[in-house]
Amino acid sequence: MPLNVLNFVNMNVKIKALTAGVLFFMGGQAVMAQKTKKDTADTKTIEEVVVVGYGKQKRSDVTGAIATVKSGALQEQPVPSVELALQGKAPGVQVANTGGRAGNNTKISIRGNGSLSASNSPLYIIDGVPQESLGNLTSEDIQSMEILKDAASSAIYGSRASNGVVLVETKSGKYNLKPTVSFSSSYGIQEIIKRPDLLNGEQYRQVHEAARLNYLSDIQAGILPAPTSGSAADLALKTPMANTGINTNWLDYVLRTGAITNNQFSFSSGGENSKIYFSVSNISQEGIIKQDKYDVSRVRLNVEQKITSKLKFGVNSYFTYLDSVPIVDDNNTYQPYSNAINAAPNLAPYGVDGKPNRNLTSNNPLWAFERVVSDRYQTIGSNIYAVYNPIKNLTLKSSVSGSIMSRRYNRFDAPNTRRGEQAGKPWGYGYYSTNNNREYLIENTANYNKDFVDGRLVVDVLAGQSFQRWEYEDSYVQGENFPSNDLKWLVSAGTINAGRSYFMAMSLASFFGRAQFTWDNKYNLMVSTRYDGSSKFAKGNKWGNFPAFSAGWTVSKESFFNVPVIDELKLRGSYGFTGNQTGVSYASGLNLIGGGENHNQNPGLAVTDLYNPDLHWEKGKSMDFGMDLSMFKKRVNIIFDYYDKTTNDLLYRIPVAQETGFKTMLSNVGRINNKGFEVGIDTKIVKTENFKWDFGANFSYNKNVVEKIGIPAGFYTTGFASIVKEGEPLGSFYIYESLGVAQERFEYKDTSGKVTKVVQPGDMIYKDVNGDGKIDSNDLVVFNGGIAPIYGGFNTRVAYKRVDLSINAQYSIGKKVYAMYKERSVSGAAVGYPSYSTNMIDEQMNYWTPNNTDTNVPRPHLASAISSWNNYRSSRFLEDADYLRITDITLGVNFDTKDFGFLKSLRVYAQVRNPFTFTKYNGVDPETYYVDQTLNVNQNSADTSKVQSGVDTNGIPTVKVYSLGLNINF
C-alpha cells in the first residue's frame, strides 16, 4: 500500500512513519490516510501545490477557475493520446473523439466555442513552452496537468488564451532519489463501435422495383406524365433491375479488427546536485479501415543540475517520430468507409481480371487500397533554462526553447490501377511534399515572494518578457507517366507537371506581470496583465493589453464560522481579458503582393488579399464566480462555477463589392457569448483498510449565442445543413421542418386559397412557414443542437485489498445530429436504370405502403420530381443524439512483491474502452460529429469546423478497444 503514495509523489524516499497508506484525490486536495507504527489512525492534510502561469501556487491561494487532473488518472488508461484520457474528467472541459481513424482524433473545448474562423483549441503549455497540441506527450510522462478555464487564470498568456490553457508539467526525477526503472506495456484489439446494417442484394432490388412500380402507378393514375420515349426515365421504367444473385457486403472488404500496442520504459534518478528523467515509448495502432496505420515513437530526457546553492541549469527535451499510412481520400465523403456503405450490393467486388471491379456506378471502395501512401513526421524540441536566486525570495529564470518539425508525404498511383490510368491506358501518378516548421521561444522572468506582518501578508510578484517566432516552409512536386508499377518515386516519372515552394514567418512579442496578495490565509487578491505584439497585423494594431484580476475569501477560516460538517468554504471571483490570433494567416493584416503565374502562364505580381488596415485580433472578456466546498473531514468535495465570457471583434470574411477584385475581406465584425455553470463533486463513500469506494461526477451547462456577425443579412450558411445566425448558437442547422409522410392527399394553398401543389399519400409534407403555398428558401427553419449545451462525466473506483475496478463515463444532453448520409442511404432508390442509386441502410425497408403507414420513410419513387421532394434537407434527417457512453472499464490486480527485492510493484489489468453507448441516435456514433480537426495544426491554419458541428456525413466512427496490460516498477 505505501507504493500508492510513492507513485503519487513520484519519489522513492523512505517514509519511516508509514506502514500502510493510500492516497485520495478530493476536489484537487490531496488527503493521505495513514497508520503509524503505533497503529493509531490519523489524517494529515498535505498542502497541495498547483501549476499556474509562469509559476506555482498553493491550492488554498487559488482564486481562478482551475481544474486539476492527476497523473494517476491519466496513466491508468492505455490510450493513443493524452486527450482521450481526459474524457469526462473535468467540469467545463469537453473532450470529443472525432473519429475512428488510427491516431489522435480528439477535440478539446473549454467552456464553449468563441470564434468563427480563428482557432477554438486551447493553448497547451508543456514545461513552460507553448505548443500546438499534446502530440509529443505520453500519459506516463505527465507529472501534473492543470486546465485554466477563466480569464483571470489564463490572461497571463494574453492573445493566445481565449479558449483556455492546458498546463502540463512532465516528470523530472527527484534529488536524492535512488534509481527507479518503470516499464508498462499493453496489447489490445479494436473494432468498429457499431456496424451499420446495409441492404443485401435482394432487398436492394426490392426497393428499386417498388420505386419503379410507384412511378408506373402514378403515370397510370394521371398524376405524372409519361417520360419521353427512349429517355433515361423511360428506360428505367421499362427495365426492372436484374437479379444478379450477388450479395456483397462491402464493409467486409473495408473493415478489420486492428491491433494496438503501447510500450513505455522510463528511468529516473537523482543525486545531491542533479536529477534526471528519461523515457522512451512506442504506440502502434492499426485502424479499423484496412491499411490505416499509426505508429509513433517518443523519447524524452529531462535533466537538471545545481551549479551552486543559488544557480541551477536544466534541459527538457523530446523527440517524436510518427510514421502513418493515412486513409486514402481521407474525408467523410470519398474515403473507403463511406464508399463501402454507398456501393451497390448486387455487384461483385472484383472483376474477372482479379482487379477491383470498375463497373460500379459509385467509387469502388477497394480502389483506395491500390494507392500507396505514407506520411511521416519528425519533431525534435528542447527547453534550456537557468534559475538564479541572487538574494533571498527573488528568483530569476531565463529559458530558450525551440522545435523543428519535418514532414514527408508521398503518394503513388501505379499505372495499372484505376486511379493510375489515363483514358483507359496505364499511366501512373506521383505526388511528394515536404514541410519544415521551426519555432523558438525566449523568455525571462523575475519572481519575488516574501512574507510581511509576521507572516500574515504574503506577496508574490512576477514580471517577464517573451518572444516567440514561427517559420514554415512547404514544397511539393507531382509527376505522371511512370514506366513501371514498381518504380514509385518521381525520379521515374516521364513528366514532372507541377510543383511549388514557399516560406512564411510570424512572431509574437510579449511583456507580462502579476501580483498576488494573501492576508491571513483567508483573503486572496491577484492582478495581472500581458502586453502582446503580433507581426500578423499592421502598424497601429500590433499591440494589445490583456489585464485580469481575481479575489478569494476562505469563509471557513473566519472566527464567526462554525459549521462542524464543513471543513472548508471558499468563495472566489474573477474578471479579465484575453485575445485570439491563433489560426489567422501570417499576413492577415498586412498589405502584401505575391508573385506567380497570371495570364498565359506568364509570371507576374498581384495583391494577395484585400487589405484591411483596421484588422486586429479578437478580444475576449470573461467573468467567473466560484465556490469550493469540502465537508465531512474532506470526504465530500464540491466545486461550483458560474461564468460569462464574450468574444468581440470576431475575425470573419465578409462579402465585398466585386469591383475590388475580391469576393471577401477579413474583418473584425462579430461577437459571440458563452455563459453557463459547472459543478464537480468528488466523494470517498467508503474508506477502510481493506475496502475503498470513490465516486466523482461533473456537470456543465454552456449557452452559446452568436450575438453579431457584422453583415446585413444577420446570418450566413456554411455548406451542408449548417448556419451561423445572430441570436442562435454555433452548431445550428438551417433546414425545412418535416411534418411527416402524407397519409392521404395533401394540398398546399396560397393566401388566396388557390391550390399550388398536391402531395400524394406516401410522400413527404413540409411546413409552409410563410403560408404562400410554396416550399422554398423562405421556409427554412433554424434548429439548434449541433454542439450539446449540457455535458459531463462520472467516474467510480472500488478497491478491495489488491484488486480494484474503475469505471469512467461521459454524457451529452441536448445534442442533435443531422444525418446527412441518409439523404442517400434512405433515398428510396431515387435513380433507376442504367446507373441506379447507391446502397441503402435497413431503415429504408420500412418505407410507406398502404399497408405500412406508421413510418417516416416515404415511398420509393424513380421520378426525380418525387424523389427529390421526398429527400429535401429537412428535420426528417435531424435526430436526437443525447448519449451516455461508458468510456472505459478497468479491472486491475496489484501483486505482492515483498519477496522480490528488485521488484517494487507489479500491476496487471484488463480494460475495455467504449464498451457501451446509450443513445436514441440511429446512426453509428453520436460523438463523432462534434467537430473535426487536422493532425497538423499550426499558427497559420484556421479552424472553421465548429460552425458545421453535428452533421453526419458517414465519417469513420470511433472504436471499441479490448486491452491487457501490466505496469512494473523496479
Side-chain angles (χ1 to χ4, degrees), residues 863-911:
S864 59
I866 303 299
S867 61
S868 62
W869 168 267
N870 284 339
N871 290 288
Y872 272 11
R873 195 153 285 175
S874 70
S875 57
R876 171 193 168 196
F877 304 115
L878 186 64
E879 299 186 23
D880 290 335
D882 297 347
Y883 70 89
L884 168 64
R885 170 163 287 167
I886 308 300
T887 55
D888 68 83
I889 301 175
T890 304
L891 177 65
V893 179
N894 297 283
F895 288 90
D896 186 358
T897 60
K898 62 182 179 181
D899 294 331
F900 300 93
F902 66 94
L903 196 61
K904 297 179 180 178
S905 67
L906 171 62
R907 173 180 168 82
V908 177
Y909 63 87
Q911 183 188 65

Short mmCIF file of all heavy atoms in Angstrom, two decimals, residues 863-911:
data_model
loop_
_atom_site.label_atom_id
_atom_site.label_comp_id
_atom_site.label_asym_id
_atom_site.label_seq_id
_atom_site.Cartn_x
_atom_site.Cartn_y
_atom_site.Cartn_z
N ALA A 863 -39.25 8.78 -60.19
CA ALA A 863 -39.40 10.11 -60.79
C ALA A 863 -38.59 11.12 -59.99
O ALA A 863 -38.76 11.23 -58.77
CB ALA A 863 -40.87 10.52 -60.83
N SER A 864 -37.74 11.87 -60.66
CA SER A 864 -36.87 12.82 -59.95
C SER A 864 -37.67 13.88 -59.21
O SER A 864 -37.26 14.33 -58.13
CB SER A 864 -35.90 13.47 -60.94
OG SER A 864 -36.60 14.16 -61.96
N ALA A 865 -38.82 14.28 -59.76
CA ALA A 865 -39.63 15.30 -59.10
C ALA A 865 -40.13 14.81 -57.74
O ALA A 865 -40.20 15.59 -56.77
CB ALA A 865 -40.82 15.69 -59.99
N ILE A 866 -40.46 13.53 -57.64
CA ILE A 866 -40.96 12.97 -56.39
C ILE A 866 -39.80 12.64 -55.44
O ILE A 866 -39.84 12.97 -54.26
CB ILE A 866 -41.81 11.72 -56.65
CG1 ILE A 866 -42.99 12.05 -57.59
CG2 ILE A 866 -42.32 11.14 -55.34
CD1 ILE A 866 -43.93 13.09 -57.03
N SER A 867 -38.80 11.98 -55.99
CA SER A 867 -37.69 11.56 -55.12
C SER A 867 -36.94 12.75 -54.55
O SER A 867 -36.53 12.74 -53.38
CB SER A 867 -36.73 10.65 -55.89
OG SER A 867 -36.16 11.34 -56.99
N SER A 868 -36.74 13.80 -55.33
CA SER A 868 -36.05 14.98 -54.81
C SER A 868 -36.91 15.68 -53.75
O SER A 868 -36.38 16.15 -52.73
CB SER A 868 -35.71 15.95 -55.94
OG SER A 868 -36.89 16.41 -56.59
N TRP A 869 -38.23 15.73 -53.96
CA TRP A 869 -39.13 16.32 -52.97
C TRP A 869 -39.07 15.53 -51.66
O TRP A 869 -38.99 16.10 -50.58
CB TRP A 869 -40.56 16.33 -53.51
CG TRP A 869 -41.62 16.65 -52.49
CD1 TRP A 869 -42.34 15.77 -51.74
CD2 TRP A 869 -42.06 17.95 -52.08
NE1 TRP A 869 -43.19 16.41 -50.90
CE2 TRP A 869 -43.06 17.77 -51.09
CE3 TRP A 869 -41.73 19.24 -52.46
CZ2 TRP A 869 -43.71 18.82 -50.48
CZ3 TRP A 869 -42.38 20.31 -51.86
CH2 TRP A 869 -43.36 20.10 -50.88
N ASN A 870 -39.07 14.23 -51.74
CA ASN A 870 -39.07 13.40 -50.53
C ASN A 870 -37.75 13.46 -49.76
O ASN A 870 -37.70 13.08 -48.59
CB ASN A 870 -39.39 11.94 -50.89
CG ASN A 870 -40.86 11.73 -51.18
OD1 ASN A 870 -41.71 12.52 -50.76
ND2 ASN A 870 -41.17 10.67 -51.91
N ASN A 871 -36.70 13.91 -50.42
CA ASN A 871 -35.39 13.94 -49.78
C ASN A 871 -34.86 15.35 -49.59
O ASN A 871 -33.64 15.56 -49.55
CB ASN A 871 -34.39 13.10 -50.61
CG ASN A 871 -34.69 11.62 -50.54
OD1 ASN A 871 -34.47 10.97 -49.51
ND2 ASN A 871 -35.21 11.08 -51.62
N TYR A 872 -35.78 16.30 -49.45
CA TYR A 872 -35.35 17.66 -49.11
C TYR A 872 -34.53 17.62 -47.81
O TYR A 872 -34.75 16.79 -46.93
CB TYR A 872 -36.57 18.57 -48.90
CG TYR A 872 -37.07 19.24 -50.16
CD1 TYR A 872 -36.61 18.87 -51.41
CD2 TYR A 872 -38.02 20.25 -50.09
CE1 TYR A 872 -37.10 19.50 -52.56
CE2 TYR A 872 -38.50 20.88 -51.23
CZ TYR A 872 -38.04 20.49 -52.47
OH TYR A 872 -38.51 21.11 -53.60
N ARG A 873 -33.61 18.55 -47.70
CA ARG A 873 -32.80 18.67 -46.48
C ARG A 873 -33.71 19.20 -45.37
O ARG A 873 -33.95 20.39 -45.26
CB ARG A 873 -31.63 19.60 -46.76
CG ARG A 873 -30.52 19.55 -45.74
CD ARG A 873 -29.20 19.94 -46.37
NE ARG A 873 -28.68 18.88 -47.20
CZ ARG A 873 -27.58 18.98 -47.96
NH1 ARG A 873 -26.92 20.13 -47.99
NH2 ARG A 873 -27.15 17.97 -48.67
N SER A 874 -34.19 18.30 -44.55
CA SER A 874 -35.25 18.67 -43.61
C SER A 874 -35.04 17.99 -42.26
O SER A 874 -34.14 17.17 -42.07
CB SER A 874 -36.62 18.25 -44.17
OG SER A 874 -36.75 16.83 -44.16
N SER A 875 -35.94 18.32 -41.34
CA SER A 875 -35.87 17.73 -39.99
C SER A 875 -36.18 16.24 -40.01
O SER A 875 -36.06 15.58 -38.98
CB SER A 875 -36.82 18.46 -39.05
OG SER A 875 -38.15 18.42 -39.54
N ARG A 876 -36.58 15.71 -41.16
CA ARG A 876 -36.73 14.25 -41.28
C ARG A 876 -35.42 13.56 -40.93
O ARG A 876 -35.41 12.46 -40.36
CB ARG A 876 -37.15 13.90 -42.71
CG ARG A 876 -37.12 12.41 -43.02
CD ARG A 876 -37.23 12.13 -44.50
NE ARG A 876 -36.91 10.73 -44.79
CZ ARG A 876 -36.63 10.27 -46.00
NH1 ARG A 876 -36.64 11.10 -47.04
NH2 ARG A 876 -36.35 9.00 -46.18
N PHE A 877 -34.30 14.19 -41.25
CA PHE A 877 -32.99 13.60 -41.01
C PHE A 877 -32.31 14.16 -39.76
O PHE A 877 -31.15 13.84 -39.51
CB PHE A 877 -32.09 13.81 -42.22
CG PHE A 877 -32.64 13.29 -43.51
CD1 PHE A 877 -32.97 14.15 -44.54
CD2 PHE A 877 -32.85 11.93 -43.68
CE1 PHE A 877 -33.49 13.67 -45.73
CE2 PHE A 877 -33.38 11.44 -44.87
CZ PHE A 877 -33.70 12.31 -45.91
N LEU A 878 -33.02 14.97 -39.00
CA LEU A 878 -32.46 15.54 -37.77
C LEU A 878 -32.88 14.66 -36.59
O LEU A 878 -34.06 14.49 -36.32
CB LEU A 878 -32.95 16.97 -37.57
CG LEU A 878 -32.32 17.74 -36.40
CD1 LEU A 878 -30.82 17.94 -36.62
CD2 LEU A 878 -33.00 19.10 -36.22
N GLU A 879 -31.89 14.13 -35.87
CA GLU A 879 -32.19 13.15 -34.84
C GLU A 879 -31.65 13.59 -33.48
O GLU A 879 -30.62 14.27 -33.39
CB GLU A 879 -31.58 11.80 -35.21
CG GLU A 879 -32.10 11.21 -36.50
CD GLU A 879 -31.58 9.81 -36.75
OE1 GLU A 879 -31.20 9.14 -35.76
OE2 GLU A 879 -31.55 9.39 -37.92
N ASP A 880 -32.35 13.18 -32.44
CA ASP A 880 -31.82 13.35 -31.08
C ASP A 880 -30.57 12.49 -30.93
O ASP A 880 -30.57 11.31 -31.30
CB ASP A 880 -32.87 12.93 -30.05
CG ASP A 880 -34.05 13.89 -29.99
OD1 ASP A 880 -33.87 15.06 -30.35
OD2 ASP A 880 -35.16 13.45 -29.60
N ALA A 881 -29.54 13.10 -30.38
CA ALA A 881 -28.28 12.37 -30.26
C ALA A 881 -27.70 12.48 -28.85
O ALA A 881 -26.49 12.43 -28.67
CB ALA A 881 -27.28 12.88 -31.29
N ASP A 882 -28.57 12.66 -27.84
CA ASP A 882 -28.09 12.57 -26.47
C ASP A 882 -27.48 11.19 -26.26
O ASP A 882 -27.95 10.20 -26.82
CB ASP A 882 -29.25 12.74 -25.48
CG ASP A 882 -29.91 14.11 -25.58
OD1 ASP A 882 -29.32 14.99 -26.22
OD2 ASP A 882 -31.00 14.28 -25.01
N TYR A 883 -26.44 11.14 -25.45
CA TYR A 883 -25.84 9.84 -25.21
C TYR A 883 -25.15 9.78 -23.87
O TYR A 883 -24.72 10.79 -23.31
CB TYR A 883 -24.85 9.47 -26.32
CG TYR A 883 -23.57 10.29 -26.33
CD1 TYR A 883 -22.45 9.91 -25.59
CD2 TYR A 883 -23.47 11.45 -27.10
CE1 TYR A 883 -21.29 10.65 -25.61
CE2 TYR A 883 -22.31 12.20 -27.12
CZ TYR A 883 -21.22 11.79 -26.38
OH TYR A 883 -20.07 12.53 -26.39
N LEU A 884 -25.07 8.59 -23.36
CA LEU A 884 -24.23 8.25 -22.21
C LEU A 884 -23.30 7.16 -22.67
O LEU A 884 -23.76 6.09 -23.12
CB LEU A 884 -25.09 7.78 -21.03
CG LEU A 884 -24.30 7.13 -19.88
CD1 LEU A 884 -23.37 8.13 -19.22
CD2 LEU A 884 -25.26 6.53 -18.85
N ARG A 885 -22.02 7.42 -22.58
CA ARG A 885 -21.04 6.44 -23.04
C ARG A 885 -20.14 6.02 -21.89
O ARG A 885 -19.56 6.88 -21.21
CB ARG A 885 -20.21 7.01 -24.18
CG ARG A 885 -18.99 6.16 -24.57
CD ARG A 885 -18.45 6.55 -25.92
NE ARG A 885 -19.35 6.07 -26.97
CZ ARG A 885 -19.27 6.46 -28.24
NH1 ARG A 885 -18.37 7.37 -28.60
NH2 ARG A 885 -20.10 5.98 -29.13
N ILE A 886 -20.05 4.73 -21.65
CA ILE A 886 -19.05 4.21 -20.72
C ILE A 886 -17.73 4.21 -21.49
O ILE A 886 -17.53 3.41 -22.41
CB ILE A 886 -19.40 2.78 -20.25
CG1 ILE A 886 -20.84 2.74 -19.71
CG2 ILE A 886 -18.41 2.32 -19.21
CD1 ILE A 886 -21.08 3.66 -18.53
N THR A 887 -16.84 5.12 -21.13
CA THR A 887 -15.62 5.28 -21.91
C THR A 887 -14.58 4.23 -21.59
O THR A 887 -13.77 3.89 -22.45
CB THR A 887 -15.03 6.68 -21.69
OG1 THR A 887 -14.83 6.91 -20.28
CG2 THR A 887 -15.97 7.75 -22.23
N ASP A 888 -14.57 3.74 -20.37
CA ASP A 888 -13.65 2.64 -20.09
C ASP A 888 -14.02 1.94 -18.78
O ASP A 888 -14.56 2.54 -17.86
CB ASP A 888 -12.19 3.11 -20.04
CG ASP A 888 -11.90 4.02 -18.86
OD1 ASP A 888 -11.64 3.49 -17.76
OD2 ASP A 888 -11.93 5.25 -19.03
N ILE A 889 -13.72 0.66 -18.74
CA ILE A 889 -13.85 -0.17 -17.55
C ILE A 889 -12.50 -0.87 -17.38
O ILE A 889 -12.01 -1.53 -18.30
CB ILE A 889 -14.97 -1.21 -17.68
CG1 ILE A 889 -16.32 -0.52 -17.93
CG2 ILE A 889 -15.05 -2.09 -16.45
CD1 ILE A 889 -17.46 -1.49 -18.20
N THR A 890 -11.91 -0.72 -16.20
CA THR A 890 -10.59 -1.29 -15.95
C THR A 890 -10.61 -2.13 -14.68
O THR A 890 -11.05 -1.67 -13.63
CB THR A 890 -9.52 -0.20 -15.81
OG1 THR A 890 -9.53 0.63 -16.98
CG2 THR A 890 -8.13 -0.81 -15.65
N LEU A 891 -10.15 -3.36 -14.79
CA LEU A 891 -10.01 -4.25 -13.65
C LEU A 891 -8.53 -4.56 -13.46
O LEU A 891 -7.87 -5.03 -14.39
CB LEU A 891 -10.78 -5.55 -13.89
CG LEU A 891 -10.67 -6.63 -12.80
CD1 LEU A 891 -11.29 -6.15 -11.49
CD2 LEU A 891 -11.33 -7.93 -13.26
N GLY A 892 -8.01 -4.24 -12.27
CA GLY A 892 -6.59 -4.40 -12.03
C GLY A 892 -6.29 -5.20 -10.78
O GLY A 892 -7.08 -5.24 -9.84
N VAL A 893 -5.12 -5.81 -10.78
CA VAL A 893 -4.63 -6.57 -9.63
C VAL A 893 -3.21 -6.13 -9.33
O VAL A 893 -2.34 -6.11 -10.22
CB VAL A 893 -4.65 -8.09 -9.90
CG1 VAL A 893 -4.11 -8.84 -8.68
CG2 VAL A 893 -6.05 -8.56 -10.24
N ASN A 894 -2.96 -5.73 -8.07
CA ASN A 894 -1.63 -5.35 -7.61
C ASN A 894 -1.04 -6.51 -6.83
O ASN A 894 -1.55 -6.90 -5.78
CB ASN A 894 -1.70 -4.11 -6.72
CG ASN A 894 -2.23 -2.90 -7.47
OD1 ASN A 894 -1.52 -2.28 -8.25
ND2 ASN A 894 -3.50 -2.57 -7.24
N PHE A 895 0.03 -7.07 -7.33
CA PHE A 895 0.61 -8.26 -6.73
C PHE A 895 1.54 -7.91 -5.57
O PHE A 895 2.16 -6.85 -5.56
CB PHE A 895 1.37 -9.08 -7.78
CG PHE A 895 0.47 -9.76 -8.76
CD1 PHE A 895 0.09 -9.13 -9.94
CD2 PHE A 895 -0.01 -11.03 -8.50
CE1 PHE A 895 -0.74 -9.76 -10.85
CE2 PHE A 895 -0.85 -11.67 -9.40
CZ PHE A 895 -1.22 -11.03 -10.58
N ASP A 896 1.62 -8.81 -4.64
CA ASP A 896 2.52 -8.66 -3.50
C ASP A 896 3.95 -8.97 -3.97
O ASP A 896 4.25 -10.07 -4.42
CB ASP A 896 2.11 -9.62 -2.39
CG ASP A 896 2.92 -9.41 -1.12
OD1 ASP A 896 3.83 -8.56 -1.13
OD2 ASP A 896 2.64 -10.11 -0.13
N THR A 897 4.83 -7.97 -3.89
CA THR A 897 6.20 -8.13 -4.39
C THR A 897 7.23 -8.12 -3.27
O THR A 897 8.42 -7.93 -3.53
CB THR A 897 6.52 -7.01 -5.40
OG1 THR A 897 6.38 -5.74 -4.74
CG2 THR A 897 5.58 -7.07 -6.59
N LYS A 898 6.81 -8.33 -2.01
CA LYS A 898 7.75 -8.20 -0.91
C LYS A 898 8.82 -9.29 -0.94
O LYS A 898 9.91 -9.13 -0.38
CB LYS A 898 7.01 -8.24 0.42
CG LYS A 898 6.25 -9.54 0.68
CD LYS A 898 5.49 -9.46 2.00
CE LYS A 898 4.72 -10.75 2.28
NZ LYS A 898 3.97 -10.66 3.56
N ASP A 899 8.54 -10.40 -1.63
CA ASP A 899 9.53 -11.46 -1.73
C ASP A 899 10.50 -11.26 -2.88
O ASP A 899 11.41 -12.07 -3.08
CB ASP A 899 8.82 -12.82 -1.90
CG ASP A 899 8.01 -13.20 -0.67
OD1 ASP A 899 8.40 -12.77 0.44
OD2 ASP A 899 7.00 -13.90 -0.82
N PHE A 900 10.28 -10.20 -3.67
CA PHE A 900 11.17 -9.91 -4.79
C PHE A 900 11.87 -8.59 -4.48
O PHE A 900 11.30 -7.51 -4.65
CB PHE A 900 10.38 -9.79 -6.09
CG PHE A 900 9.64 -11.05 -6.45
CD1 PHE A 900 8.32 -11.22 -6.05
CD2 PHE A 900 10.26 -12.06 -7.17
CE1 PHE A 900 7.63 -12.37 -6.37
CE2 PHE A 900 9.57 -13.22 -7.49
CZ PHE A 900 8.25 -13.38 -7.09
N GLY A 901 13.10 -8.66 -4.03
CA GLY A 901 13.80 -7.46 -3.59
C GLY A 901 13.98 -6.43 -4.67
O GLY A 901 13.98 -5.23 -4.41
N PHE A 902 14.14 -6.88 -5.91
CA PHE A 902 14.37 -5.95 -7.01
C PHE A 902 13.08 -5.38 -7.58
O PHE A 902 13.09 -4.41 -8.32
CB PHE A 902 15.14 -6.66 -8.13
CG PHE A 902 14.35 -7.75 -8.79
CD1 PHE A 902 13.62 -7.50 -9.94
CD2 PHE A 902 14.32 -9.03 -8.25
CE1 PHE A 902 12.87 -8.50 -10.55
CE2 PHE A 902 13.58 -10.03 -8.85
CZ PHE A 902 12.85 -9.77 -10.01
N LEU A 903 11.94 -5.98 -7.23
CA LEU A 903 10.67 -5.58 -7.81
C LEU A 903 9.87 -4.80 -6.77
O LEU A 903 9.53 -5.33 -5.71
CB LEU A 903 9.89 -6.82 -8.25
CG LEU A 903 8.72 -6.60 -9.21
CD1 LEU A 903 9.20 -5.99 -10.50
CD2 LEU A 903 8.02 -7.94 -9.48
N LYS A 904 9.59 -3.54 -7.08
CA LYS A 904 8.87 -2.70 -6.13
C LYS A 904 7.35 -2.82 -6.28
O LYS A 904 6.63 -2.71 -5.29
CB LYS A 904 9.30 -1.25 -6.31
CG LYS A 904 10.78 -1.02 -6.00
CD LYS A 904 11.17 0.42 -6.21
CE LYS A 904 12.66 0.64 -5.90
NZ LYS A 904 13.07 2.04 -6.14
N SER A 905 6.87 -2.95 -7.50
CA SER A 905 5.43 -3.10 -7.69
C SER A 905 5.16 -3.79 -9.01
O SER A 905 5.94 -3.68 -9.96
CB SER A 905 4.71 -1.74 -7.65
OG SER A 905 5.07 -0.94 -8.76
N LEU A 906 4.05 -4.49 -9.06
CA LEU A 906 3.61 -5.18 -10.27
C LEU A 906 2.10 -5.11 -10.33
O LEU A 906 1.41 -5.54 -9.41
CB LEU A 906 4.07 -6.64 -10.27
CG LEU A 906 3.48 -7.52 -11.39
CD1 LEU A 906 3.89 -7.00 -12.76
CD2 LEU A 906 3.93 -8.97 -11.20
N ARG A 907 1.59 -4.56 -11.39
CA ARG A 907 0.14 -4.43 -11.59
C ARG A 907 -0.22 -5.00 -12.95
O ARG A 907 0.43 -4.71 -13.96
CB ARG A 907 -0.29 -2.96 -11.51
CG ARG A 907 -1.76 -2.72 -11.87
CD ARG A 907 -2.09 -1.24 -11.76
NE ARG A 907 -3.38 -0.91 -12.35
CZ ARG A 907 -4.54 -1.06 -11.73
NH1 ARG A 907 -4.55 -1.53 -10.49
NH2 ARG A 907 -5.67 -0.75 -12.32
N VAL A 908 -1.24 -5.82 -12.97
CA VAL A 908 -1.78 -6.38 -14.21
C VAL A 908 -3.24 -5.96 -14.32
O VAL A 908 -3.96 -5.94 -13.32
CB VAL A 908 -1.67 -7.92 -14.21
CG1 VAL A 908 -2.30 -8.51 -15.47
CG2 VAL A 908 -0.21 -8.34 -14.10
N TYR A 909 -3.65 -5.58 -15.52
CA TYR A 909 -5.02 -5.09 -15.67
C TYR A 909 -5.61 -5.51 -17.01
O TYR A 909 -4.90 -5.85 -17.96
CB TYR A 909 -5.05 -3.55 -15.55
CG TYR A 909 -4.27 -2.84 -16.63
CD1 TYR A 909 -4.86 -2.52 -17.85
CD2 TYR A 909 -2.94 -2.48 -16.42
CE1 TYR A 909 -4.15 -1.87 -18.84
CE2 TYR A 909 -2.22 -1.83 -17.39
CZ TYR A 909 -2.82 -1.53 -18.60
OH TYR A 909 -2.11 -0.88 -19.59
N ALA A 910 -6.93 -5.48 -17.04
CA ALA A 910 -7.70 -5.69 -18.27
C ALA A 910 -8.63 -4.49 -18.43
O ALA A 910 -9.19 -4.00 -17.45
CB ALA A 910 -8.50 -6.98 -18.21
N GLN A 911 -8.75 -4.04 -19.65
CA GLN A 911 -9.55 -2.83 -19.88
C GLN A 911 -10.33 -2.95 -21.18
O GLN A 911 -9.86 -3.55 -22.15
CB GLN A 911 -8.64 -1.60 -19.96
CG GLN A 911 -9.42 -0.29 -20.11
CD GLN A 911 -8.51 0.89 -20.38
OE1 GLN A 911 -7.85 0.98 -21.40
NE2 GLN A 911 -8.45 1.81 -19.43
#
